[in-house]
Amino acid sequence: MKGKINKIKILSLAVFSVTAIILLSFIFYNNNKKKQAPAAEKKLILGFSQIGSESVWRTRNTQSIFEAAAENDIQILFDDAQQKQENQLKAIRSFIVYQVDVIAFVPIVEDGWDNVLQEAKDAGIPVIVVDRKIKANQSMYAGFIGENGVEEGRRAARYLVNKCRNTEGPVNIFEITGTENSSIVDDRASGFREIINTDSKFRIIHSENGDFLRSRGREIGDMLLASNVLENGNTTNTIYYNKQKIDVIFSHNDSMTLGFLDSMEAHKINPKGYGTIIISIDAEQESIDALVNGKLNCVVECNPNHGQMLMQLVKQVAKGETIPRITYNFETVFTEDDNFSKYDPRGY
Ligand code: AHR
């Protein structure tokens, strides 16, 4: 009897030991498997503050960034600042609280970013500046991706200098600028002046802020062209500002230029026989169409497709890599002298 009991005890012990061994091996195997399996890559989160949707160009710029984020499997936390710096500051602060991996923003103006950049730096979140530049210490952000505004201004002016090479002068220029205190206006204005100042016959007789808006371009046109409608209902093609004949309209973006053309149409002034040189920046499809139809003379491209380049930079900074201080996008110039049949659809 005692022997039988001992046998049962030994048997139970054996069963228990085997079960324990199986269980431990299972746990060990699973732990090991966890260690060996490649960790699933965490999706990067990009906080992106856009300034708004003041132009068709801007809408394409936002689209390009969303498309590229999807293609690169990057999640975007998006904020539309509705043209207000205070909204951008709030958005960037909320990205910091959310602990996004990278922050990108289009600064509506150049100044006033130091504190929020310091906060992002303290939180260890790299920041990329997009489209417009800022006045801040370079150590406060990882880098800039966007257009070369100074070169855009130079290109507009080079076209003009060449166009007027046989004109005696003076050549009176009416400038329509965009958002005040934005780097893009400063850059385009300085590039333009750098070139025209080489010949004293070029004179900027007035600069008017059109806020990059089509509605403002229309208003500025209405202001200038009101006196072009004569008492007998006919129109005159020569336009004046403060009794000075305007020879050139240099507009800092297509929206304002197209608004100006809307005004011309409303005043029954045919831009073709108009005699005033019109130069624009952006190269939206509608302004390229206007160029092809002889309503504009020159359109300097500002490329809104920043998305793919931005996402490459986002991936690099997220890995802790250093990126170039400045990355410029490719841009060209379209003029009345081009072979229009070679133009591809602009896509915006
Ligand atoms: O900062 C780029 C400028 O902003 C574009 O020329 C203009 O169309 C936009 O609104």
Side-chain angles (χ1 to χ4, degrees):
M1 183 66 178
K2 210 177 169 190
K4 211 175 176 182
I5 291 171
N6 276 343
K7 261 189 197 165
I8 292 169
K9 272 187 186 165
I10 291 167
L11 204 68
S12 313
L13 200 67
V15 171
F16 174 76
S17 308
V18 170
T19 314
I21 288 168
I22 292 172
L23 205 68
L24 283 173
S25 316
F26 180 72
I27 292 168
F28 178 75
Y29 169 75
N30 265 325
N31 273 350
N32 234 16
K33 207 167 93 182
K34 266 187 213 155
K35 273 180 209 152
Q36 283 165 8
E41 288 236 331
K42 194 185 135 250
K43 199 167 179 161
L44 282 181
I45 302 180
L46 169 69
F48 176 53
S49 163
Q50 178 60 284
I51 58 177
S53 48
E54 72 282 5
S55 59
V56 171
W57 186 99
R58 180 67 55 203
T59 306
R60 174 61 210 146
N61 181 240
T62 307
Q63 263 173 10
S64 152
I65 288 167
F66 269 92
E67 284 166 11
E71 280 161 28
N72 287 277
D73 204 22
I74 291 172
Q75 188 186 329
I76 289 201
L77 273 191
F78 179 72
D79 186 82
D80 176 337
Q82 316 263 336
Q83 308 296 320
K84 290 199 176 91
Q85 184 180 32
E86 64 197 76
N87 290 345
Q88 291 205 279
L89 295 171
K90 266 190 220 154
I92 295 171
R93 290 198 165 103
S94 74
F95 298 152
I96 296 171
V97 170
Y98 194 85
Q99 293 185 305
V100 297
D101 298 294
V102 180
I103 292 172
F105 76 111
V106 176
I108 184 149
V109 290
E110 287 172 286
D111 290 307
W113 305 103
D114 289 359
N115 290 344
V116 82
L117 289 178
Q118 186 62 55
E119 290 162 34
K121 197 173 186 189
D122 293 345
I125 303 174
V127 176
I128 301 175
V129 177
V130 183
D131 172 28
R132 298 183 182 176
K133 292 180 176 157
I134 54 173
K135 283 184 185 152
N137 191 299
Q138 292 202 347
S139 64
M140 304 301 284
Y141 60 100
F144 164 86
I145 148 86
E147 61 272 17
N148 186 341
V150 176
E151 190 53 30
E152 289 170 352
R154 287 187 192 127
R155 287 175 174 174
R158 282 192 200 110
Y159 162 81
L160 183 62
V161 168
N162 183 47
K163 171 92 178 163
C164 297
R165 62 191 180 281
N166 299 322
T167 310
E168 206 175 292
V171 177
N172 290 340
I173 303 163
F174 186 97
E175 182 183 37
I176 307 177
T177 63
T179 312
E180 224 176 327
N181 299 324
S182 64
S183 69
I184 194 68
V185 167
D186 290 354
D187 286 352
R188 287 172 181 168
S190 74
F192 188 76
R193 283 159 178 75
E194 178 192 312
I195 303 296
I196 60 161
N197 285 346
T198 56
D199 189 334
S200 59
K201 75 181 176 190
F202 295 104
R203 301 190 315 191
I204 297 179
I205 56 169
H206 184 70
S207 288
E208 184 79 23
N209 179 3
D211 276 328
F212 285 130
L213 296 170
R214 189 164 182 153
S215 57
R216 283 284 300 132
R218 167 76 200 246
E219 276 170 23
I220 293 166
D222 289 352
M223 181 260 290
L224 288 177
L225 302 172
S227 54
N228 282 53
V229 182
L230 305 174
E231 272 175 17
N232 61 9
N234 291 340
T235 53
T236 153
N237 275 353
T238 311
I239 51 169
Y240 292 89
Y241 177 76
N242 267 351
K243 298 192 176 134
Q244 299 177 87
K245 178 175 171 274
I246 297 175
D247 300 298
V248 182
I249 302 277
F250 169 46
S251 162
H252 281 231
N253 92 338
D254 281 349
S255 295
M256 300 183 296
T257 313
L258 293 167
F260 190 83
L261 292 182
D262 292 341
S263 174
M264 291 179 82
E265 202 177 318
H267 287 86
K268 299 192 173 48
I269 296 172
N270 177 4
K272 277 189 183 174
Y274 176 58
T276 302
I277 299 164
I278 306 183
I279 304 171
S280 186
I281 300 184
D282 274 355
E284 295 171 6
Q285 187 63 56
E286 199 178 342
S287 89
I288 293 297
D289 292 344
L291 176 73
V292 171
N293 291 321
K295 297 177 183 174
L296 298 181
N297 300 82
C298 172
V299 183
V300 175
E301 182 187 29
C302 174
N303 190 345
N305 298 309
H306 298 145
Q308 276 302 343
M309 288 164 116
L310 173 63
M311 295 312 144
Q312 297 319 310
L313 298 175
V314 166
K315 287 195 239 177
Q316 282 177 258
V317 292
K319 279 192 261 172
E321 291 173 15
T322 304
I323 59 169
R325 289 305 318 158
I326 294 180
T327 305
Y328 284 136
N329 219 343
F330 173 79
E331 294 174 332
T332 185
V333 182
F334 303 91
T335 80
E336 60 200 334
D337 305 320
D338 290 351
N339 174 358
F340 300 140
S341 66
K342 286 194 179 156
Y343 286 175
D344 288 330
R346 302 293 300 151
Y348 62 95

